[in-house]
Amino acid sequence: VLSGTCHRSVPAVTVAAPPTNTVATASVNTTDNTIGIANHGFRTGTKLTYSNGSGSSIGGLSEQAYYVIAKETTDSGTTFGDLTNNTFALATSLSNAQAGTAVALSGTGNNSQTFIGDTATATAVLTVGKVSDITIATVGSAYTAAPTITIAAPATETIDGDNASKVVVADDEIVVASAFYGCIATGDVVTYADGGGTAIEGLTTATDYYLIKSGTSNRISLATTRDRAILGTLITITAVGSGSSHTLIGQTPTATATLGMGSPSDTVGASEVSHIGWVKKTIGTGGRAGRVHYETLVAASSITGDAEDLATPDS
């Protein structure tokens, strides 16, 4: 959504965790081997990690990861009872979940026990101080809504604002570190602050300005708008300020997540479901004046029996 500015190194990307589901003892059915969570929305293969909340565990479960068996899975008829939108069974592996082989539950545990999905992870790609892409590293599981994404702020550039060799009044320029100079471009937005001293004359503390990258290494000027920065219309500096802790900090990037449906193969319950696609099928090409009888869209490959049947059954 926002690429940010002035990053010297690739910023960390943090994705919020999926919701924690607390399951009371009354929601554990040892006859049907099912867990009850109202409108859980889990699909077969969704990974959940069980925690006993420092109490007694559900009989048959340990504090580890399990895989959901949801209502679209065909049961062998021996491992669990009927499944609904509000109940699910658990398997020890993805393959067992897909096969409908559930863990037998022999005890109800305690009222503080929880199930939580995996937290997604992501990495940023940096291009000249700006985030140009966010790559999903692991998609997580059991999200019920798109999670918040937080991207780390750029490093702060500190300036000795009362040093005439750092605030070059005659040139309306400020000397910055080479690492800062190397990651900026003219037009980048920064926020200036006087660090508790007196602002450099011509500037106002806690104000956004736009960088003009000087042709002289490790120097910058400032403009009041991006357009003025691009045109080279800089702010006139009339005197140094006071204090050695003046700062410039770039803009923090932002991003938003989109919640997928679940992946078809070995990561069911993860990203997005898809199959090979659709093609146009022509029915009849002869007839009067060579007219086509009709055309329709059909699946480009067999839908029945493909990898995403468990997640989105054709029926």
Side-chain angles (χ1 to χ4, degrees):
V1 174
L2 189 67
S3 61
T5 59
C6 309
H7 279 280
R8 306 179 197 199
S9 58
V10 178
V13 181
T14 303
V15 184
T20 299
N21 301 279
T22 301
V23 176
T25 57
S27 297
V28 181
N29 187 323
T30 57
T31 301
D32 288 347
N33 297 319
T34 58
I35 307 292
I37 296 176
N39 298 311
H40 56 75
F42 301 148
R43 302 166 67 201
T44 292
T46 298
K47 184 181 177 184
L48 296 174
T49 296
Y50 172 67
S51 172
N52 63 20
S54 299
S56 57
S57 295
I58 294 173
L61 299 186
S62 301
E63 290 192 299
Q64 64 178 59
Y66 292 93
Y67 296 82
V68 167
I69 301 174
K71 68 175 184 177
E72 72 270 10
T73 305
T74 300
D75 182 26
S76 62
T78 59
T79 58
F80 55 82
D82 290 339
L83 298 176
T84 70
N85 291 332
N86 304 315
T87 62
F88 59 91
L90 294 170
T92 56
S93 67
L94 177 61
S95 60
N96 282 345
Q98 292 172 326
T101 305
V103 176
L105 306 180
S106 58
T108 58
N110 69 91
N111 290 327
S112 297
Q113 60 204 356
T114 60
F115 289 91
I116 186 170
D118 284 352
T119 299
T121 61
T123 57
V125 176
L126 199 64
T127 304
V128 194
K130 300 178 181 64
V131 173
S132 56
D133 190 27
I134 300 291
T135 301
I136 303 300
T138 57
V139 296
S141 62
Y143 282 95
T144 57
T148 300
I149 296 179
T150 303
I151 305 175
T156 300
E157 175 68 10
T158 303
I159 300 161
D160 187 352
D162 61 8
N163 186 332
S165 67
K166 301 297 183 182
V167 181
V168 186
V169 175
D171 297 331
D172 301 312
E173 292 184 338
I174 297 171
V175 177
V176 295
S178 59
F180 183 82
Y181 183 83
C183 72
I184 63 172
T186 293
D188 286 350
V189 63
V190 294
T191 300
Y192 165 74
D194 60 21
T198 302
I200 297 167
E201 290 194 22
L203 305 181
T204 303
T205 192
T207 300
D208 288 348
Y209 294 103
Y210 296 81
L211 294 174
I212 299 173
K213 189 171 184 177
S214 173
T216 302
S217 294
N218 305 333
R219 289 192 180 193
I220 58 97
S221 297
L222 297 171
T224 55
T225 68
R226 186 176 187 278
D227 287 345
R228 289 182 177 182
I230 299 299
L231 291 172
T233 307
L234 51 80
I235 294 170
T236 300
I237 295 175
T238 54
V240 299
S242 66
S244 59
S245 299
H246 296 232
T247 59
L248 295 172
I249 185 168
Q251 193 172 54
T252 300
T254 62
T256 57
T258 300
L259 192 66
M261 294 174 58
S263 172
S265 56
D266 59 354
T267 53
V268 170
S271 59
E272 287 192 355
V273 172
S274 61
H275 67 78
I276 196 170
W278 301 86
V279 295
K280 183 170 65 174
K281 181 179 181 181
T282 301
I283 305 299
T285 56
R288 187 175 179 182
R291 294 172 183 167
V292 172
H293 293 177
Y294 64 90
E295 293 178 336
T296 187
L297 293 178
V298 297
S301 66
S302 170
I303 300 180
T304 302
D306 59 9
E308 49 82 25
D309 275 348
L310 287 176
T312 52
D314 304 314
S315 58

